[in-house]
């Protein structure tokens, strides 16, 4: 039976170690009418809309690589496996999982998939939706559903796997995931360019759209964020370009990128520094703004104008047309100040990540879409047991 | 409410449909309907009661709303090139979408296009090429199949190895639900919020409703392309070259294998591409991207083929030779189809390290059942297409083909693979669904279909075996009162 523990403070928690134990936990919770908060590494529990739950279901014990055959370039691991463990196992064979979400590398695979989180590498490789091949979940009625498979192409049956990616656990507790891997490029080199002038971002965007090179990552960083990455005195937007391929290709790509300005070579840890900045204690609020890719330079400028007077930081995965904002939230006065920033943000698709409960306004959805969403939720979790409220639609 | 089969004469349905789409666009006579009894896979013939072909979006909506009002089941159909027995059903209204061919916009700035579902895949690429763009998923049927059919099947193609399948190229869809409601899935203007219903719809084989407007991503034409033809003395040698190439980290745009039987068929046809007819297998390998460094990768790939025992590797000298090499591959099914009256094109995927073993097993299965299996497939993805030519009017032959195919599917499942990588389940793969998925997994699929089409009127009887949906409805606990 899964170990149950009640800490001095906070909610009780259960720590299952097998899928069968997760099933038992969900069935127990269902019988008792106790909603469950699903917990991976516990590093991002304040993400998502306010979620009220009686008990924490921790997946630490559902942890480990289940199957890894390097020649297949696929890997199956349990939901609670940390990304860093996957990185270590695959690096031995010159391979990697090309997902570097916020909090990388300490988050878990299950949480990355559940939240659909991604980082700069999404520029070339897409998000979890493009990289997850299959998963095992325990639904809100305690069924074990094994969707998708372990091969890189698969259209057998309706795509329940895609539904689980980004469902924030509300359709099932993710106990196992199969992902696509890639061989690491022969050369993997990062260069940094300061984008001076008023049209620096527009030029960088145009360059990316027209260059024959496909950088592994092309991330734009606001001056204030650049400062935290150790580029103190530049006072310009920075473009972080990660170039991969064979020697000749990377050399030519560097040469081409020099058209944007002088290239600097950053410390090795720059990407980890960037992804772990999402966990900074002073900037606990975050959200993403997005629009059609061609409008990214305007979206970037308007976002910077709205957030910088209040000390906000921003970075953008240019190719995806997305700007991510990190906003200060360190004391009680923060909520009012945050509300002010949010109202100043440009009009765009707004995906909140972490915001105080008071500021979580669910976007009004078209009624047909809303009924499809509710139908899906009810089909997998009729009693709304799993992470209730976390998608802003309890 | 169980869907009711329409009777064109009794309830005036055909007349109402004619009022919407015009007299010539409604077929009810058995002779006229025969063309819509099957798709590209022989062996399945199911005649609809009525076929209707709306010419505009509004007509399509009116037709679906009429069918919803009357509780009439229907099957959407694009070009009918499907290879799983998908776009056909007995006694239903067949809803042909191939007249919806408007390209609504090509937005070069955002590298996107919005198209109607009847637009032919290759037409889209042809029109986008003026902007130096193309639509990357390229099924071998691309000169005929429709974007709507591609979305419904989550179609793949040779270049999906590097560029991804249909799922990776659809930004948003306007969907006409079976009840006549319209909904947008995905987001033209930023990230998708909420559940990935767009992803759930792609590959739903016409069972979740009709894809009306499709926003696709367009990909820039590569600066440089190199196409290699490697000639191997055995299938095993070719398969080991595939593994070696994949392991390097070089991701070819395409990595296709053809065995000797396929080569012979192609070379005997009007699509003759100059393949070596005495090769046991060839690999067609394409590398693309920036010109810088590409020839280093070409050299490395050629060396890996040599190491695996290739008798020769040649690189297409120019675009014309490249086109010729590809034409042989893309028309291989057609070439095989010339040799025997019918051709079963199969589709399965295995982990890439299992390719040599599974190919050997497929050969043994063919020999045991006295059928000729020829292989032409997306080797880089492990996506097999074992094909068997036969005469479907001969019951003995048909049985042998059926038995061999069942064993091949079982072998692919046993190797850790799946029963379809790009052609879909349709009717043909239904019998294998229970072997591949557990009962609760099939129930989850039924539950998902219920959300989009609670009456099971859209393409009834496909994808998930009916018995598992029945079980699901009987075991499904009553929805408890919702917590506040
Ligand atoms: C020679 C040949 C080669 C092929 N090569 C490939 C290949 O390389 N890769 C590959 O993936 N496939 C391949 N196919 C299979 C087939 O071409 C694809 O499945 C294609 O996507 C089907 O498109 P279609 O328009 O013909 O669809 P149809 O056959 O008409 O329909 C297929 C399914 O889609 C549904 N449907 C059609 N339109 C819509 C719509 N607008 N909304 C909702 N549902 C709809 C139908 O109900 C049916 O279930 C090949 C077929 C042939 C004959």
């Amino acid at each position: 039976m899964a170990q149950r523990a009640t800490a001095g403070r906070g909610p009780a928690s259960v720590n299952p170690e097998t899928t069968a134990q997760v099933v038992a936990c969900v069935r127990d919770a269902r019988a008792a009418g106790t909603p469950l908060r699903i917990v991976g590494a516990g590093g991002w529990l304040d993400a998502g809309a306010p979620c009220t739950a009686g008990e924490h279901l921790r997946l630490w014990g559902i942890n480990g690589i289940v199957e890894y055959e390097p020649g297949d370039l696929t890997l199956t691991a349990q939901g609670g496996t940390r990304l860093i463990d996957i990185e270590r196992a695959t690096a031995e064979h010159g391979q990697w999982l090309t997902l570097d979400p916020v909090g990388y590398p300490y988050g878990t695979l299950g949480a990355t998939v559940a939240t659909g989180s991604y980082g700069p590498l999404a520029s070339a490789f897409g998000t979890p939706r493009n990289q997850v091949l299959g998963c095992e979940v325990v639904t809100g009625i305690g069924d074990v559903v094994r969707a998708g498979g372990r091969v890189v192409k698969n259209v057998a049956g309706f795509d329940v796997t895609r539904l689980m990616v980004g469902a924030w656990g509300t359709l099932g507790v993710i106990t196992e995931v199969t992902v696509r891997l890639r061989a690491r490029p022969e050369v993997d080199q990062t260069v940094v360019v300061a984008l001076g002038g008023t049209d620096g971002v527009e030029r960088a965007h145009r360059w990316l759209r027209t260059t024959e090179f496909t950088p592994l990552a092309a991330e734009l960083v606001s001056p204030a964020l650049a400062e935290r990455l150790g580029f103190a005195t530049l006072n310009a937007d920075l473009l972080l370009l990660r170039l991969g391929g064979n020697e000749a290709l990377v050399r030519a790509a560097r040469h081409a990128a020099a058209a944007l300005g002088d290239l600097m070579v950053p410390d090795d840890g720059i990407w980890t520094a960037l992804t772990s900045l999402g966990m900074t204690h002073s900037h606990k609020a975050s959200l993403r703004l997005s629009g059609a890719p061609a409008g990214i330079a305007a979206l970037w400028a308007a976002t910077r104008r709205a957030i910088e007077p209040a000390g906000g930081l921003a970075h953008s995965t240019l190719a995806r047309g997305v700007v991510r904002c990190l906003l200060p939230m360190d004391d009680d006065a923060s909520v009012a100040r945050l509300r002010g920033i949010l109202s100043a943000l440009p009009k765009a698709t707004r995906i909140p990540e972490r915001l105080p409960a008071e500021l979580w306004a669910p976007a009004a959805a078209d009624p047909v879409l809303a009924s499809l969403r509710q139908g899906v939720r009810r089909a997998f979790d009729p009693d709304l047991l799993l992470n209730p409220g976390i998608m802003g639609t309890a | 409410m169980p869907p009711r089969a329409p009777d064109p004469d009794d309830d005036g349905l055909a007349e109402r449909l004619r009022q919407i789409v015009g007299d010539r666009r409604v077929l009810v006579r058995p002779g006229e309907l025969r063309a819509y009894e099957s798709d590209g896979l022989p062996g399945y013939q199911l005649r609809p009661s009525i076929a209707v072909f709306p010419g505009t979006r509004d007509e399509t909506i009116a037709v679906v709303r009429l069918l919803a009002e009357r509780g009439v089941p229907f099957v959407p159909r694009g070009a009918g090139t499907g290879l799983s027995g998908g776009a056909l059903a007995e006694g239903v209204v067949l809803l042909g979408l191939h007249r919806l061919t408007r390209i609504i916009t090509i937005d070069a700035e955002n590298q996107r296009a919005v198209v109607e579902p009847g637009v032919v895949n290759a037409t889209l690429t042809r029109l986008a090429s003026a902007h130096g763009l193309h639509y990357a998923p390229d099924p071998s049927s691309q000169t005929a199949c429709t974007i709507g059919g591609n979305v419904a099947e989550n179609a793949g193609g040779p270049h999906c190895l590097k560029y991804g399948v249909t799922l990776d190229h659809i930004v948003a869809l306007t969907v006409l639900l079976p009840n006549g409601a319209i909904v947008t899935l995905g987001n033209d203007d930023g990230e998708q919020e909420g559940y990935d219903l767009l992803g759930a719809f792609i590959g739903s084989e016409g069972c979740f409703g009709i894809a009306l407007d499709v926003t696709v991503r367009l990909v820039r034409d590569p600066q440089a392309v190199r196409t290699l033809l490697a000639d191997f003395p055995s299938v095993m040698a070719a398969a080991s070259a595939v593994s070696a190439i994949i392991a390097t980290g070089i991701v070819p745009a395409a990595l296709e294998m053809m065995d000797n039987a396929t080569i012979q068929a192609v070379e005997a046809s009007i699509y003759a591409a100059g393949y070596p007819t005495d090769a046991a297998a060839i690999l067609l390998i394409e590398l693309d991207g920036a010109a810088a460094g590409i020839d280093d990768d070409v050299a490395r790939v050629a060396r890996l083929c040599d190491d695996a025992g290739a008798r020769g590797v040649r690189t297409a000298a120019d675009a014309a030779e490249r086109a010729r090499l590809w034409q042989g591959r893309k028309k291989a099914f057609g070439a095989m189809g010339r040799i025997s009256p019918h051709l079963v094109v199969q589709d399965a995927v295995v982990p890439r390290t299992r390719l040599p073993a599974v190919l050997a097993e497929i050969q043994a299965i063919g020999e045991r059942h006295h059928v000729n299996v020829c292989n032409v497939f997306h080797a880089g993805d492990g996506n097999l297409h074992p094909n068997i030519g036969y005469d479907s009017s001969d019951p003995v032959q048909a049985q042998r083909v059926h038995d061999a195919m069942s064993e091949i599917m079982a072998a692919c499942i046993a190797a850790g693979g799946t029963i379809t990588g790009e052609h879909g389940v349709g009717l043909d793969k239904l019998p294998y669904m229970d072997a591949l998925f557990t009962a609760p997994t099939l129930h989850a699929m039924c539950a998902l279909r219920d959300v989009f089409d609670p009456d099971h009127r859209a393409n009834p009887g496909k994808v998930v075996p009916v018995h598992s949906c029945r079980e699901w409805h009987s075991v499904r606990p009553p929805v408890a009162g919702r917590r506040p």
Side-chain angles (χ1 to χ4, degrees):
Chain A
M1 195 48 239
Q3 267 186 26
R4 185 166 256 106
T6 312
R9 288 185 294 144
S13 70
V14 275
N15 301 296
E17 288 177 355
T18 63
T19 299
Q21 289 179 358
V22 175
V23 170
C25 293
V26 170
R27 293 210 168 133
D28 286 354
R30 189 167 190 232
T34 312
L36 293 171
R37 178 77 170 98
I38 307 163
V39 180
W44 216 38
L45 283 182
D46 49 354
C51 167
T52 45
E55 192 166 64
H56 279 193
L57 177 69
R58 294 183 189 278
L59 293 176
W60 296 345
I62 311 280
N63 162 359
I65 291 171
V66 178
E67 191 174 300
Y68 174 33
E69 174 62 60
D72 291 335
L73 285 158
T74 61
L75 176 141
T76 304
Q78 290 187 299
T81 310
R82 283 180 187 244
L83 295 178
I84 190 160
D85 294 326
I86 293 175
E87 173 169 325
R88 287 192 184 122
T90 53
E92 277 180 39
H93 299 275
Q95 301 182 349
W96 58 340
L97 168 61
T98 47
L99 283 174
D100 56 348
V102 175
Y104 181 81
Y106 297 105
T108 63
L109 180 60
T112 304
V113 172
T115 56
S117 295
Y118 61 85
L121 287 172
S123 184
F125 302 108
T127 67
R129 127 189 244 271
N130 310 103
Q131 306 199 39
V132 174
L133 304 172
C135 61
E136 179 191 81
V137 302
V138 177
T139 67
I141 50 177
D143 275 351
V144 180
V145 168
R146 293 185 62 86
R150 292 184 179 181
V151 283
V152 295
K153 238 169 135 186
N154 194 349
V155 296
F158 301 129
D159 199 346
V160 173
T161 309
R162 233 45 58 197
L163 215 48
M164 295 298 157
V165 177
W168 288 79
T170 60
L171 305 179
V173 181
I174 300 175
T175 47
E176 191 183 288
V177 179
T178 300
V179 283
R180 177 195 289 280
L181 300 176
R182 291 183 164 82
R184 282 184 180 265
E186 207 176 301
V187 180
D188 175 352
Q189 214 172 70
T190 298
V191 293
V192 177
V193 197
L195 301 172
T198 48
D199 66 341
V201 175
E202 184 57 48
R203 275 192 303 121
H205 174 57
R206 212 174 318 125
W207 181 80
L208 275 172
R209 274 197 50 226
T210 50
T211 175
E212 58 271 26
F213 302 100
T214 310
L216 305 176
E219 196 81 5
L220 190 62
V221 169
S222 70
L225 182 50
E227 207 175 305
R228 289 174 176 248
L229 295 174
F231 292 86
T233 55
L234 295 166
N235 197 24
D237 291 314
L238 284 194
L239 179 65
L240 274 53
L241 274 180
R242 187 167 183 173
L243 307 170
N246 65 30
E247 285 275 356
L249 178 70
V250 172
R251 202 178 327 110
R254 274 187 69 141
H255 189 74
L260 293 170
D262 292 339
L263 303 185
M264 297 171 276
V265 177
D267 290 344
D268 278 349
I270 183 130
W271 293 106
T272 326
L274 179 63
T275 51
S276 50
L277 260 171
M279 316 300 283
T280 169
H281 289 297
S282 57
H283 288 68
K284 274 191 187 150
S286 63
L287 70 147
R288 302 196 300 274
L289 299 176
S290 54
I296 188 67
L299 180 63
W300 175 258
T303 304
R304 273 192 55 188
R305 271 198 303 278
I307 66 172
E308 289 190 348
L313 313 171
H315 59 109
S316 165
T317 308
L318 284 173
R320 302 193 66 79
V322 178
V323 178
R324 184 157 174 274
C325 313
L326 300 167
L327 304 173
M329 192 178 70
D330 40 18
D331 56 43
D332 292 342
S334 293
V335 173
R337 204 172 52 214
L338 272 176
R339 184 172 286 132
I341 305 178
L342 293 185
S343 63
L345 284 174
K347 237 178 88 74
T349 297
R350 195 178 285 196
I351 309 242
E353 293 176 349
R354 295 199 292 180
L355 288 179
E358 302 89 309
L359 298 182
W360 202 280
D366 157 79
V368 180
L369 187 58
S371 79
L372 289 177
R373 285 176 178 165
Q374 264 182 37
V376 167
R377 176 69 191 263
R378 295 257 180 73
F380 286 86
D381 181 21
D383 300 332
L384 307 185
L385 275 185
L386 307 175
N387 284 353
I390 201 163
M391 292 188 83
T393 51
Chain B
M1 164 187 68
R4 206 162 48 94
D7 179 336
D9 299 325
D10 281 1
D11 52 14
L13 181 61
E15 194 41 47
R16 285 292 310 280
L17 290 170
R18 285 189 194 101
Q19 285 164 11
I20 298 171
V21 301
D23 289 355
R24 285 171 46 232
R25 306 300 183 180
V26 178
L27 308 180
V28 295
R29 281 202 295 272
E32 296 171 328
L33 291 169
R34 194 162 302 133
Y36 303 98
E37 279 177 356
S38 47
D39 63 1
L41 186 73
Y44 295 93
Q45 264 140 357
L46 296 174
R47 185 173 304 169
S49 315
I50 305 179
V52 55
F53 302 95
T56 65
R57 191 177 193 277
D58 287 347
E59 285 180 9
T60 312
I61 295 167
V63 166
V64 167
R65 290 190 174 158
L66 173 66
L67 300 177
E69 234 168 67
R70 299 196 170 200
V72 172
F74 64 93
V75 51
R77 183 173 172 111
T81 67
L83 290 173
S84 53
L88 43 113
E90 185 78 39
V92 304
V93 170
L94 182 138
L95 186 48
L97 298 158
H98 68 267
R99 296 179 60 220
L100 302 182
T101 53
R102 269 196 325 139
I103 305 248
I104 297 161
T105 54
I106 292 187
D107 174 357
E109 270 294 294
N110 282 300
Q111 301 186 4
R112 285 175 184 176
V114 183
V115 304
E116 288 189 335
V119 168
V120 168
N121 176 302
T123 307
L124 175 57
T125 280
R126 187 161 45 74
L127 293 174
S129 68
H131 306 276
L133 300 169
H134 66 282
Y135 179 63
D138 60 339
S140 304
S141 52
Q142 73 188 130
T143 50
C145 66
T146 65
I147 295 294
N150 292 171
V151 168
E153 300 289 10
N154 192 10
H159 289 79
C160 293
L161 174 61
K162 175 170 177 179
Y163 293 98
V165 294
T166 303
L167 174 88
D168 303 305
H169 295 273
I170 304 297
V171 178
L173 291 172
T174 305
V175 169
L176 177 56
L177 293 173
N179 69 5
I182 293 177
V183 66
T184 300
L185 306 180
N187 185 0
D188 276 338
D189 210 23
E191 296 188 281
Q192 181 179 206
E193 295 166 88
Y195 298 133
D196 187 1
L197 297 178
L198 174 67
F201 187 92
I202 295 167
S204 60
E205 302 195 25
C207 298
F208 290 5
I210 290 174
L212 269 188
D213 303 332
V214 185
T215 307
V216 302
R217 217 157 61 78
L218 299 172
V219 173
R220 245 178 312 135
D221 297 342
Q223 183 188 30
V225 184
R226 302 283 186 275
T227 307
L228 283 70
L229 179 74
D231 159 349
F232 291 89
S234 72
V235 169
M236 296 308 125
S240 64
V242 170
S243 301
I245 294 167
I246 293 295
T248 57
I250 297 171
V251 183
L255 178 44
E256 302 280 309
M257 195 191 296
M258 278 179 263
D259 68 6
N260 181 265
T262 309
I263 297 168
Q264 299 278 357
V266 170
E267 290 305 311
S269 76
I270 52 165
Y271 310 116
Y275 301 151
T277 49
D278 58 342
I282 56 171
L283 290 180
L284 198 56
I285 309 162
E286 190 152 283
L287 301 177
D288 72 5
I294 197 169
D295 290 318
D296 295 351
D297 283 353
V298 167
R300 190 152 169 221
V301 165
R303 210 157 50 236
L304 291 168
C305 291
D306 284 343
D307 293 348
R311 299 189 307 178
V313 182
R314 83 170 205 253
T315 307
D318 52 27
E321 189 179 358
R322 191 159 65 236
R324 191 154 162 253
L325 289 177
W326 272 114
Q327 158 139 311
R329 163 63 187 90
K330 295 218 166 175
K331 300 292 185 191
F333 296 146
M336 285 185 264
R338 274 183 57 247
I339 297 173
S340 30
H342 301 101
L343 180 75
V344 193
V345 177
Q346 266 303 359
D347 173 37
V349 190
V350 296
R352 288 170 277 198
T353 51
R354 303 300 301 275
L355 271 178
V358 172
L359 285 168
E361 207 173 333
I362 289 174
Q363 192 184 348
I365 291 168
E367 283 164 11
R368 218 164 37 241
H369 292 279
H370 308 287
V371 293
N372 271 328
V373 186
C374 28
N375 292 287
V376 42
F377 64 99
H378 313 305
D381 290 320
N383 188 175
L384 296 163
H385 291 319
N387 310 312
I388 304 179
Y390 73 117
D391 179 352
S392 73
S393 66
D394 173 352
V396 178
Q397 275 193 51
Q399 187 61 42
R400 283 205 304 242
V401 172
H402 177 267
D403 293 347
M405 283 306 184
S406 304
E407 284 185 30
I408 290 173
M409 286 301 121
C412 292
I413 295 175
T418 189
I419 55 175
T420 170
E422 55 180 24
H423 294 169
V425 175
L427 286 174
D428 191 50
K429 296 294 170 65
L430 269 179
Y432 312 111
M433 289 292 278
D434 287 311
L436 189 63
F437 293 113
T438 62
T441 308
L442 292 171
H443 294 166
M445 293 181 191
C446 296
L448 179 55
R449 173 201 293 216
D450 282 353
V451 173
F452 285 88
D453 181 23
D455 301 332
H456 295 196
R457 282 190 304 109
N459 208 358
K462 308 289 162 51
V463 185
V464 183
V466 174
H467 63 83
S468 51
C469 290
R470 243 187 258 122
E471 280 163 30
W472 146 251
H473 284 288
S474 65
V475 300
R476 193 182 139 86
V479 176
R482 269 205 297 153
R483 231 178 306 282

